[in-house]
Amino acid sequence: MKVVVVESPAKAKTINKYLGRDYEVLASFGHIRDLPAKDGSVDPEADFHMLWELDERGSKRVSDIVKALKGADGLILATDPDREGEAISWHVVEALNARRALKGMHVERVTFNAITKAAVDTAMRNPRQIDQALVDAYLARRALDYLVGFNLSPVLWRKLPGARSAGRVQSVALRLVCEREREIEVFRPREYWSLVATLVTETGAVFEARLTGADGKKIQRLDVGTGDEAAAFKRDLELATFSVGTVEAKPAKRHPAPPFTTSTLQQEASRKLGMAPAQTMRAAQKLYEGVEIGGETVGLITYMRTDGVDMAPEAIADARQVIAKEYGERYLPGAPRKYSTKAKNAQEAHEAVRPTDMGRLPKTVARTVDAEQAKLYELIWTRTVASQMESAELERTTVDIVAHVGPRKLDLRATGQVVKFDGFLTLYQEGKDDEEDEDGRRLPPMKAGDALKRERIASTQHFTEPPPRYSEASLVKRMEELGIGRPSTYAAILQTLRDREYVKIEKKRLVAEDKGRLVTGFLESFFKRYVEYDFTADLEGQLDRVSNAEIDWREVLRDFWKDFSAAIAGTKELRVTEVLDALNDLLGAHIFPEKADGSNPRTCPTCGAGQLSLKLGKFGAFVGCSNYPECKYTRQLAASAVEGDGDGTSENGGQPGTRVLGTDPVSGMAVSLRDGRFGPFVQLGEASPDKEAPKPKRSSIPKGLSPSSVDLEKALKLLSLPREVAKHPETGEPILANLGRFGPYVQHGKMYANLGRDDDVLEIGANRAIDIIVAKEQGGGRRGPAADPGRALGNHPETGKAIVVKSGKYGPYVTDGTTNATLPKTQAAEDIDLPQALELIAAREASGGGKKRAPARKASAKSAPAKKAPAKKAAAKAVTADGADAPAKKPAAKKAPAKAASPKAAAAKPAAARKATAKKA
């Protein structure tokens, strides 16, 4: 028997069916080791020695593999066919070597681009060794990310309170979003006019033509800049006679787009399906791992992390058969189409993302997968099949029209397009970002010299618009163009920016938050090189060279660390005033927008003498007056802060205080947004100096609602809480929605139930509120979160117990009513199925944990107090990059206060891991 290791339980289940009884397939559940989140995990002083650690979950997986290897004939590593997959295989081997489980064991590495029986069988017949170059590229990337995160983030925390952290690639992506925001702020609209004539041919057909020239000179889009100019042209056109000058019809062809790469799949899924990149990759992962169809589990698409656009010859042949059968021979080109990637270095260039079987039509697949996966599969299938279809044949027509008014000659032009043969357009048309669709209007038949009748002349005022904010799709596209990131990182980069609250999404566009603007401003001012696009792209190129075995990975780290460590050291003497001055200049257009009356936007509206500037407090950045403490004017950083509606004075003096949103129409009191000790809140009126007077009404801002998006309407809704949303169907008593210390909730009498992540306390309706309360009542208990009924997965094949996945205090878990098993961090609750749940419960039972506790008995007065067993704290086992166990440290008799160790001090200590082994990673 041979042991096969893959990443996921779903993949293990499918492959086990293909291989049969002679193989045991186990899942690693992704990475089993990682760098500990502490200083010293990567040591530049020891030639970038890396210390790896097995967490509890990883240790359990390694133990399972070690157990399976006893008596086995060999180990086969079948993780994903990319850099991360190669790294997972390497980690497994290193961890097994550390436990001496591979003595004399034959180890092989296999890869397959699709989870089908044919692909797996082919891979098993063609094993290889672990690609050390790919592993080295992983090590370099992981070390770089660690060194940036653990050295740059503390600088941010010290010099820029409120900042979360800074990542190597995420910071560059954030700069793109912030620069676009800056372009929008400094943009000045320009007025221009268009003149369009509606004309009628001799046969009565109506069409439109646009003014393009006058008196032998061309008129561009912005050339008619005032209403007076437009009025003069309109007057002449209304008096002119029109005739056809020339008619030119040109044949044209439009060719299909290549099949999907990771990047283009994320872009199209965002445009056409409204799916975020992370959401797209989750659904694609499920399609790749496969579903059961006709009694057989098969993968539906090829591997979804790739920058290649080519397809296997047999896949192209299958696509051509489908085209001929479903659409006819007219839609089949004479020869197969071949595509080549435009990526600078397609180091992960496997096949394009395509269906594993072209004959598996979307309508058939839709019966076996959920709605989201069905939509994504259809998108992949149509794009793939369309890529092998015949080109569309078009006819583009341009008609030049002459208008004579006295001695003056004006030129107009009408354009149109006719699809003569739709070709691939019958199936698929690629979406576009921020581009106008090509004019597809059809023009009536005309010939040179034909007289035309004027029906009307329209002059329309326009203003130029700023560049649009990035959508998730257009940002991924721009990152790919600049060479920033790689296919496997795009979704994670975007998700990280949102999780850190550096950006938010409004109307499907990425908007930079103030926190993100400050971080970018700081990095541009003091670490400019490390957020430059060319520098980041060049570094990605070096990592690609490492993966091609062209350069040593430690050489890349040495070159990077030499300058980066010097830049970090240069900030030690950096004063906060220097940081503020730099940010005031860089973000001036955002913090101090121009006023309509032309007055100085930095003049304090309260004292009239002081100058406003950016300041830092324990709650983060805010705007304050230079005459503090005599003048205590403060306001929030956002440019939307309203000035003149209040004195802006903060009771705390110098802390970000008040943004007046407007006046309550009922009470006439001011409604303001304020920053407090526990976060932002809205307030009605002002506090009275009389301690006996009632305090003004306040309401906190719900988590997930950005303070900058709170307007008067939302503030009034928050201040109106609690609000009645329904009557209980049995008692008739009101069900209230409100905000509490632990978030939004609904209440019925003494029954409280927390709202879900997708529920809005301001918008929740009667039916949903009743459902939550009833579910809580059925689950028992008086307070706390609503009982989660969970999602039924099926019954245990042996015990018959119902298996359910639920949301718990410490994350999602599966249960059979007796044993609870927490889901791994890499496993989403919505993705878990019955076999995976049974495996987790069985593993939990085998470890002796997860059992529900019996109710504790009340201690009687006579009973002796139970003795406490000595508590033993399990120490996490640290493993060096070479795989050797680091000697465990003896517990100190008395723990001294912890101090932050400098990199030099950490390097000076005789690391136990370094003593244990002299090998290199």
Side-chain angles (χ1 to χ4, degrees), residues 82-105:
D82 61 1
R83 186 163 47 209
E84 286 297 311
E86 208 73 19
I88 291 172
S89 289
W90 176 80
H91 276 302
V92 169
V93 169
E94 293 293 303
L96 292 175
N97 280 329
R99 296 197 183 186
R100 300 177 180 177
L102 294 178
K103 291 181 179 179
M105 182 75 65

PDB file of all heavy atoms in Angstrom, residues 82-105:
ATOM      1  N   ASP A  82       1.299  24.044  -8.144  1.00  0.00           N
ATOM      2  CA  ASP A  82       1.850  25.398  -8.214  1.00  0.00           C
ATOM      3  C   ASP A  82       2.856  25.571  -7.084  1.00  0.00           C
ATOM      4  O   ASP A  82       3.200  24.622  -6.387  1.00  0.00           O
ATOM      5  CB  ASP A  82       0.738  26.463  -8.138  1.00  0.00           C
ATOM      6  CG  ASP A  82      -0.053  26.392  -6.838  1.00  0.00           C
ATOM      7  OD1 ASP A  82       0.267  25.546  -5.988  1.00  0.00           O
ATOM      8  OD2 ASP A  82      -0.994  27.182  -6.680  1.00  0.00           O
ATOM      9  N   ARG A  83       3.317  26.781  -6.894  1.00  0.00           N
ATOM     10  CA  ARG A  83       4.358  27.046  -5.902  1.00  0.00           C
ATOM     11  C   ARG A  83       3.880  26.715  -4.484  1.00  0.00           C
ATOM     12  O   ARG A  83       4.621  26.127  -3.695  1.00  0.00           O
ATOM     13  CB  ARG A  83       4.785  28.513  -5.994  1.00  0.00           C
ATOM     14  CG  ARG A  83       5.967  28.877  -5.124  1.00  0.00           C
ATOM     15  CD  ARG A  83       6.576  30.191  -5.573  1.00  0.00           C
ATOM     16  NE  ARG A  83       5.574  31.210  -5.796  1.00  0.00           N
ATOM     17  CZ  ARG A  83       5.705  32.213  -6.670  1.00  0.00           C
ATOM     18  NH1 ARG A  83       6.795  32.304  -7.397  1.00  0.00           N
ATOM     19  NH2 ARG A  83       4.760  33.119  -6.810  1.00  0.00           N
ATOM     20  N   GLU A  84       2.659  27.097  -4.145  1.00  0.00           N
ATOM     21  CA  GLU A  84       2.137  26.799  -2.814  1.00  0.00           C
ATOM     22  C   GLU A  84       1.994  25.292  -2.616  1.00  0.00           C
ATOM     23  O   GLU A  84       2.285  24.767  -1.538  1.00  0.00           O
ATOM     24  CB  GLU A  84       0.779  27.490  -2.612  1.00  0.00           C
ATOM     25  CG  GLU A  84       0.850  28.978  -2.394  1.00  0.00           C
ATOM     26  CD  GLU A  84       1.606  29.362  -1.129  1.00  0.00           C
ATOM     27  OE1 GLU A  84       1.314  28.783  -0.062  1.00  0.00           O
ATOM     28  OE2 GLU A  84       2.495  30.223  -1.205  1.00  0.00           O
ATOM     29  N   GLY A  85       1.526  24.591  -3.658  1.00  0.00           N
ATOM     30  CA  GLY A  85       1.400  23.143  -3.553  1.00  0.00           C
ATOM     31  C   GLY A  85       2.741  22.473  -3.351  1.00  0.00           C
ATOM     32  O   GLY A  85       2.872  21.519  -2.569  1.00  0.00           O
ATOM     33  N   GLU A  86       3.776  22.964  -4.048  1.00  0.00           N
ATOM     34  CA  GLU A  86       5.124  22.419  -3.888  1.00  0.00           C
ATOM     35  C   GLU A  86       5.623  22.660  -2.466  1.00  0.00           C
ATOM     36  O   GLU A  86       6.265  21.787  -1.852  1.00  0.00           O
ATOM     37  CB  GLU A  86       6.068  23.079  -4.896  1.00  0.00           C
ATOM     38  CG  GLU A  86       7.232  22.224  -5.324  1.00  0.00           C
ATOM     39  CD  GLU A  86       6.801  21.093  -6.258  1.00  0.00           C
ATOM     40  OE1 GLU A  86       5.700  21.162  -6.851  1.00  0.00           O
ATOM     41  OE2 GLU A  86       7.578  20.133  -6.391  1.00  0.00           O
ATOM     42  N   ALA A  87       5.304  23.846  -1.916  1.00  0.00           N
ATOM     43  CA  ALA A  87       5.735  24.175  -0.561  1.00  0.00           C
ATOM     44  C   ALA A  87       5.051  23.284   0.470  1.00  0.00           C
ATOM     45  O   ALA A  87       5.678  22.859   1.445  1.00  0.00           O
ATOM     46  CB  ALA A  87       5.438  25.645  -0.268  1.00  0.00           C
ATOM     47  N   ILE A  88       3.770  22.988   0.270  1.00  0.00           N
ATOM     48  CA  ILE A  88       3.052  22.114   1.202  1.00  0.00           C
ATOM     49  C   ILE A  88       3.700  20.727   1.216  1.00  0.00           C
ATOM     50  O   ILE A  88       3.910  20.126   2.275  1.00  0.00           O
ATOM     51  CB  ILE A  88       1.560  22.033   0.829  1.00  0.00           C
ATOM     52  CG1 ILE A  88       0.881  23.379   1.099  1.00  0.00           C
ATOM     53  CG2 ILE A  88       0.854  20.937   1.608  1.00  0.00           C
ATOM     54  CD1 ILE A  88      -0.537  23.471   0.583  1.00  0.00           C
ATOM     55  N   SER A  89       4.032  20.204   0.032  1.00  0.00           N
ATOM     56  CA  SER A  89       4.698  18.902  -0.041  1.00  0.00           C
ATOM     57  C   SER A  89       6.040  18.935   0.690  1.00  0.00           C
ATOM     58  O   SER A  89       6.402  18.006   1.423  1.00  0.00           O
ATOM     59  CB  SER A  89       4.906  18.496  -1.505  1.00  0.00           C
ATOM     60  OG  SER A  89       3.682  18.155  -2.114  1.00  0.00           O
ATOM     61  N   TRP A  90       6.794  20.013   0.494  1.00  0.00           N
ATOM     62  CA  TRP A  90       8.094  20.159   1.165  1.00  0.00           C
ATOM     63  C   TRP A  90       7.919  20.182   2.681  1.00  0.00           C
ATOM     64  O   TRP A  90       8.662  19.528   3.424  1.00  0.00           O
ATOM     65  CB  TRP A  90       8.772  21.433   0.669  1.00  0.00           C
ATOM     66  CG  TRP A  90      10.074  21.737   1.351  1.00  0.00           C
ATOM     67  CD1 TRP A  90      11.291  21.192   1.096  1.00  0.00           C
ATOM     68  CD2 TRP A  90      10.280  22.680   2.418  1.00  0.00           C
ATOM     69  NE1 TRP A  90      12.249  21.735   1.917  1.00  0.00           N
ATOM     70  CE2 TRP A  90      11.653  22.650   2.742  1.00  0.00           C
ATOM     71  CE3 TRP A  90       9.436  23.552   3.102  1.00  0.00           C
ATOM     72  CZ2 TRP A  90      12.198  23.457   3.740  1.00  0.00           C
ATOM     73  CZ3 TRP A  90       9.980  24.357   4.105  1.00  0.00           C
ATOM     74  CH2 TRP A  90      11.340  24.298   4.409  1.00  0.00           C
ATOM     75  N   HIS A  91       6.916  20.931   3.159  1.00  0.00           N
ATOM     76  CA  HIS A  91       6.660  21.005   4.601  1.00  0.00           C
ATOM     77  C   HIS A  91       6.310  19.623   5.166  1.00  0.00           C
ATOM     78  O   HIS A  91       6.755  19.259   6.271  1.00  0.00           O
ATOM     79  CB  HIS A  91       5.514  21.973   4.881  1.00  0.00           C
ATOM     80  CG  HIS A  91       5.927  23.404   4.961  1.00  0.00           C
ATOM     81  ND1 HIS A  91       6.867  23.860   5.849  1.00  0.00           N
ATOM     82  CD2 HIS A  91       5.523  24.492   4.254  1.00  0.00           C
ATOM     83  CE1 HIS A  91       7.027  25.163   5.693  1.00  0.00           C
ATOM     84  NE2 HIS A  91       6.226  25.570   4.728  1.00  0.00           N
ATOM     85  N   VAL A  92       5.522  18.855   4.428  1.00  0.00           N
ATOM     86  CA  VAL A  92       5.144  17.512   4.883  1.00  0.00           C
ATOM     87  C   VAL A  92       6.386  16.647   5.034  1.00  0.00           C
ATOM     88  O   VAL A  92       6.571  15.953   6.051  1.00  0.00           O
ATOM     89  CB  VAL A  92       4.130  16.875   3.907  1.00  0.00           C
ATOM     90  CG1 VAL A  92       3.944  15.391   4.216  1.00  0.00           C
ATOM     91  CG2 VAL A  92       2.787  17.598   3.968  1.00  0.00           C
ATOM     92  N   VAL A  93       7.259  16.658   4.018  1.00  0.00           N
ATOM     93  CA  VAL A  93       8.480  15.853   4.081  1.00  0.00           C
ATOM     94  C   VAL A  93       9.368  16.295   5.241  1.00  0.00           C
ATOM     95  O   VAL A  93       9.907  15.466   5.989  1.00  0.00           O
ATOM     96  CB  VAL A  93       9.244  15.938   2.739  1.00  0.00           C
ATOM     97  CG1 VAL A  93      10.633  15.325   2.874  1.00  0.00           C
ATOM     98  CG2 VAL A  93       8.463  15.246   1.647  1.00  0.00           C
ATOM     99  N   GLU A  94       9.534  17.606   5.422  1.00  0.00           N
ATOM    100  CA  GLU A  94      10.378  18.115   6.504  1.00  0.00           C
ATOM    101  C   GLU A  94       9.828  17.712   7.867  1.00  0.00           C
ATOM    102  O   GLU A  94      10.585  17.312   8.766  1.00  0.00           O
ATOM    103  CB  GLU A  94      10.478  19.646   6.411  1.00  0.00           C
ATOM    104  CG  GLU A  94      11.225  20.158   5.202  1.00  0.00           C
ATOM    105  CD  GLU A  94      12.697  19.804   5.255  1.00  0.00           C
ATOM    106  OE1 GLU A  94      13.369  20.179   6.246  1.00  0.00           O
ATOM    107  OE2 GLU A  94      13.183  19.142   4.320  1.00  0.00           O
ATOM    108  N   ALA A  95       8.506  17.803   8.037  1.00  0.00           N
ATOM    109  CA  ALA A  95       7.894  17.441   9.319  1.00  0.00           C
ATOM    110  C   ALA A  95       8.003  15.940   9.573  1.00  0.00           C
ATOM    111  O   ALA A  95       8.235  15.501  10.717  1.00  0.00           O
ATOM    112  CB  ALA A  95       6.428  17.878   9.341  1.00  0.00           C
ATOM    113  N   LEU A  96       7.868  15.130   8.519  1.00  0.00           N
ATOM    114  CA  LEU A  96       7.999  13.670   8.668  1.00  0.00           C
ATOM    115  C   LEU A  96       9.437  13.281   8.980  1.00  0.00           C
ATOM    116  O   LEU A  96       9.690  12.370   9.779  1.00  0.00           O
ATOM    117  CB  LEU A  96       7.511  12.969   7.401  1.00  0.00           C
ATOM    118  CG  LEU A  96       6.002  13.061   7.130  1.00  0.00           C
ATOM    119  CD1 LEU A  96       5.675  12.434   5.778  1.00  0.00           C
ATOM    120  CD2 LEU A  96       5.194  12.386   8.229  1.00  0.00           C
ATOM    121  N   ASN A  97      10.377  13.972   8.353  1.00  0.00           N
ATOM    122  CA  ASN A  97      11.788  13.705   8.658  1.00  0.00           C
ATOM    123  C   ASN A  97      12.109  14.043  10.112  1.00  0.00           C
ATOM    124  O   ASN A  97      12.919  13.374  10.758  1.00  0.00           O
ATOM    125  CB  ASN A  97      12.696  14.498   7.721  1.00  0.00           C
ATOM    126  CG  ASN A  97      12.843  13.834   6.364  1.00  0.00           C
ATOM    127  OD1 ASN A  97      12.779  12.609   6.258  1.00  0.00           O
ATOM    128  ND2 ASN A  97      13.033  14.637   5.331  1.00  0.00           N
ATOM    129  N   ALA A  98      11.486  15.118  10.599  1.00  0.00           N
ATOM    130  CA  ALA A  98      11.716  15.508  11.993  1.00  0.00           C
ATOM    131  C   ALA A  98      11.251  14.415  12.950  1.00  0.00           C
ATOM    132  O   ALA A  98      11.801  14.265  14.044  1.00  0.00           O
ATOM    133  CB  ALA A  98      10.995  16.819  12.296  1.00  0.00           C
ATOM    134  N   ARG A  99      10.259  13.632  12.536  1.00  0.00           N
ATOM    135  CA  ARG A  99       9.761  12.530  13.373  1.00  0.00           C
ATOM    136  C   ARG A  99      10.359  11.174  12.949  1.00  0.00           C
ATOM    137  O   ARG A  99       9.904  10.135  13.402  1.00  0.00           O
ATOM    138  CB  ARG A  99       8.236  12.473  13.291  1.00  0.00           C
ATOM    139  CG  ARG A  99       7.560  13.717  13.849  1.00  0.00           C
ATOM    140  CD  ARG A  99       6.102  13.483  14.135  1.00  0.00           C
ATOM    141  NE  ARG A  99       5.455  14.707  14.593  1.00  0.00           N
ATOM    142  CZ  ARG A  99       4.201  14.771  15.021  1.00  0.00           C
ATOM    143  NH1 ARG A  99       3.467  13.666  15.043  1.00  0.00           N
ATOM    144  NH2 ARG A  99       3.679  15.912  15.414  1.00  0.00           N
ATOM    145  N   ARG A 100      11.332  11.251  12.040  1.00  0.00           N
ATOM    146  CA  ARG A 100      12.046  10.057  11.568  1.00  0.00           C
ATOM    147  C   ARG A 100      11.075   8.997  11.032  1.00  0.00           C
ATOM    148  O   ARG A 100      11.229   7.801  11.296  1.00  0.00           O
ATOM    149  CB  ARG A 100      12.891   9.472  12.698  1.00  0.00           C
ATOM    150  CG  ARG A 100      13.941  10.457  13.214  1.00  0.00           C
ATOM    151  CD  ARG A 100      14.717   9.888  14.365  1.00  0.00           C
ATOM    152  NE  ARG A 100      15.712  10.854  14.845  1.00  0.00           N
ATOM    153  CZ  ARG A 100      16.504  10.646  15.898  1.00  0.00           C
ATOM    154  NH1 ARG A 100      16.409   9.499  16.565  1.00  0.00           N
ATOM    155  NH2 ARG A 100      17.366  11.573  16.276  1.00  0.00           N
ATOM    156  N   ALA A 101      10.113   9.461  10.278  1.00  0.00           N
ATOM    157  CA  ALA A 101       9.086   8.557   9.745  1.00  0.00           C
ATOM    158  C   ALA A 101       9.358   8.132   8.310  1.00  0.00           C
ATOM    159  O   ALA A 101       8.579   7.366   7.737  1.00  0.00           O
ATOM    160  CB  ALA A 101       7.718   9.232   9.822  1.00  0.00           C
ATOM    161  N   LEU A 102      10.448   8.637   7.700  1.00  0.00           N
ATOM    162  CA  LEU A 102      10.703   8.341   6.288  1.00  0.00           C
ATOM    163  C   LEU A 102      11.978   7.533   6.083  1.00  0.00           C
ATOM    164  O   LEU A 102      12.565   7.575   4.993  1.00  0.00           O
ATOM    165  CB  LEU A 102      10.786   9.652   5.486  1.00  0.00           C
ATOM    166  CG  LEU A 102       9.493  10.466   5.385  1.00  0.00           C
ATOM    167  CD1 LEU A 102       9.734  11.751   4.608  1.00  0.00           C
ATOM    168  CD2 LEU A 102       8.385   9.656   4.716  1.00  0.00           C
ATOM    169  N   LYS A 103      12.427   6.808   7.098  1.00  0.00           N
ATOM    170  CA  LYS A 103      13.650   6.023   6.958  1.00  0.00           C
ATOM    171  C   LYS A 103      13.497   4.990   5.847  1.00  0.00           C
ATOM    172  O   LYS A 103      12.687   4.071   5.943  1.00  0.00           O
ATOM    173  CB  LYS A 103      13.968   5.308   8.273  1.00  0.00           C
ATOM    174  CG  LYS A 103      14.394   6.249   9.386  1.00  0.00           C
ATOM    175  CD  LYS A 103      14.718   5.472  10.649  1.00  0.00           C
ATOM    176  CE  LYS A 103      15.171   6.403  11.771  1.00  0.00           C
ATOM    177  NZ  LYS A 103      15.462   5.642  13.024  1.00  0.00           N
ATOM    178  N   GLY A 104      14.271   5.161   4.771  1.00  0.00           N
ATOM    179  CA  GLY A 104      14.240   4.214   3.661  1.00  0.00           C
ATOM    180  C   GLY A 104      12.963   4.252   2.844  1.00  0.00           C
ATOM    181  O   GLY A 104      12.777   3.434   1.937  1.00  0.00           O
ATOM    182  N   MET A 105      12.077   5.195   3.139  1.00  0.00           N
ATOM    183  CA  MET A 105      10.794   5.297   2.428  1.00  0.00           C
ATOM    184  C   MET A 105      11.000   5.983   1.081  1.00  0.00           C
ATOM    185  O   MET A 105      11.706   6.986   0.973  1.00  0.00           O
ATOM    186  CB  MET A 105       9.796   6.090   3.272  1.00  0.00           C
ATOM    187  CG  MET A 105       8.414   6.230   2.663  1.00  0.00           C
ATOM    188  SD  MET A 105       7.437   4.732   2.768  1.00  0.00           S
ATOM    189  CE  MET A 105       7.235   4.548   4.546  1.00  0.00           C
TER     190      MET A 105
END
